[in-house]
Amino acid sequence: LRALIASARADSAGRYDCVVLLSGGKDSTYALYQVVGITRRVLALTRRIPPLPAREASSCLHRRPER
């Protein structure tokens, strides 16, 4: 993962080194946590799923460990 991000960082001309798709679940949250430990220039994208109330979806995304 570090080598992949280093390669992306070297080729990056934009504001971000990588994109992480964030569902708010354990797996995507852990993936984001790991990537942020390598580079701070991460664009985390999420999409609100219509059946899930906005307030509940938002609370899932805000419960994350601090680095």
Side-chain angles (χ1 to χ4, degrees), residues 1 3 9 12 14 16 19 22 27 30 33 35 38 52 65 67:
L1 183 59
R9 186 182 297 157
S12 177
Y16 305 104
V19 175
L22 182 64
D27 294 335
Y30 182 73
Y33 179 80
V35 171
I38 298 169
L52 190 61
R67 243 230 199 234

Side-chain angles (χ1 to χ4, degrees), residues 8-19 39-43:
R9 186 182 297 157
D11 294 338
S12 177
R15 294 175 49 189
Y16 305 104
D17 294 330
C18 63
V19 175
T39 180
R40 298 286 181 180
R41 295 175 12 147
V42 180
L43 177 61

